[in-house]
Amino acid sequence: MRIVIAGGHGQIALRLERLLAARGDEVAGIIRKAEQSDDLRAAGAEPVVLDLESASVEEVAERLRGADAAVFAAGAGPGSGTARKDTVDRGAAVLFADAAVRAGVRRFVVVSSMGADAAHQGDEVFDVYQRAKGEADAYVRGLDSLDWTILRPGALTDDAGTGLVRLEARTGRGPVPRDDVAAVLAELLDTPATSGLTLELISGSAPVAVAVKAVAGN
């Protein structure tokens, strides 16, 4: 498959790029800074320099044409203010989804956040973030032209992955290594029967492939 990842230099995205490249997929990562290119190449991905906060839908669609799947893994990141939560966590996600529709890329996987909710109350930065992610998720779910899956991991850690997870519509809160999030994303991309599902992910006792097959109904 050819897979294009928005937010290609993110911690989960770099892990996912390594996994996909190792299994023989063709991977491109959209990044904002050209100096990040070498890190993507080291992960086995083709760097695509494009700022999703200023690009047009057509510019993004051009980078997506010919892809079999798209993954939105971008985020404003820690330390960013409320304005960028809206322009990246919501705005860039909406733009990327619209571009996928225009480019004819149906398979669309979103890295969201546990607790994301368009109706989330509060004015703190984290409140704005949860609301922005929830609004983006709601927008994607409304696009009939996409075979979408939304993944909402729990508290992310840099612990080594165990390959054992709990993946359900509702898991309750808990931690999960970024390694395991990337492994689940790779498996979701291979499992189109998970289209139309919003899933929560924390560490658990089921091997990744078994957990994904279970939610897919296999």
Side-chain angles (χ1 to χ4, degrees):
M1 290 197 296
R2 175 170 172 81
I3 299 153
V4 179
I5 302 171
H9 195 257
Q11 295 185 69
I12 290 171
L14 285 168
R15 288 167 166 84
L16 177 59
E17 287 155 6
R18 290 187 198 101
L19 290 175
L20 296 175
R23 73 184 195 185
D25 288 325
E26 182 183 341
V27 192
I30 295 177
I31 52 176
R32 195 161 52 91
K33 300 176 182 176
E35 55 266 32
Q36 297 170 337
S37 297
D38 286 347
D39 290 340
L40 267 74
R41 292 190 188 99
E46 166 200 347
V48 176
V49 181
L50 184 69
D51 187 348
L52 294 176
E53 288 180 89
S54 60
S56 68
V57 171
E58 185 51 44
E59 285 173 322
V60 182
E62 189 59 36
R63 308 312 200 278
L64 281 164
R65 286 195 174 91
D68 299 293
V71 179
F72 186 80
S80 59
T82 56
R84 294 198 71 230
K85 303 303 184 194
D86 184 66
T87 58
V88 179
D89 294 294
R90 184 200 60 78
V94 167
L95 173 73
F96 197 59
D98 285 343
V101 171
R102 184 170 296 197
V105 180
R106 289 203 62 94
R107 189 71 178 113
F108 195 85
V109 178
V110 177
V111 183
S112 184
S113 171
M114 191 173 291
D117 182 356
H120 185 90
Q121 299 297 305
D123 299 315
E124 298 297 323
V125 173
F126 188 69
D127 297 322
V128 175
Y129 168 75
Q130 292 289 58
R131 196 156 52 242
K133 294 296 280 185
E135 289 171 355
D137 291 354
Y139 186 84
V140 169
R141 285 195 292 252
L143 295 174
D144 293 336
S145 299
L146 295 180
D147 296 328
W148 53 265
T149 304
I150 294 169
L151 183 66
R152 292 177 166 176
L156 299 170
T157 75
D158 287 325
D159 296 339
T162 65
L164 299 173
V165 297
R166 183 178 175 192
L167 180 69
E168 298 169 15
R170 291 283 184 273
T171 62
R173 295 192 177 274
V176 61
R178 289 180 173 88
D179 287 349
D180 290 335
V181 177
V184 168
L185 289 168
E187 196 71 27
L188 289 172
L189 285 165
D190 270 353
T191 315
T194 57
S195 296
L197 299 180
T198 300
L199 300 166
E200 293 184 350
L201 173 68
I202 58 175
S203 291
S205 58
V208 166
V210 172
V212 171
K213 284 186 174 64
V215 294
N218 296 327

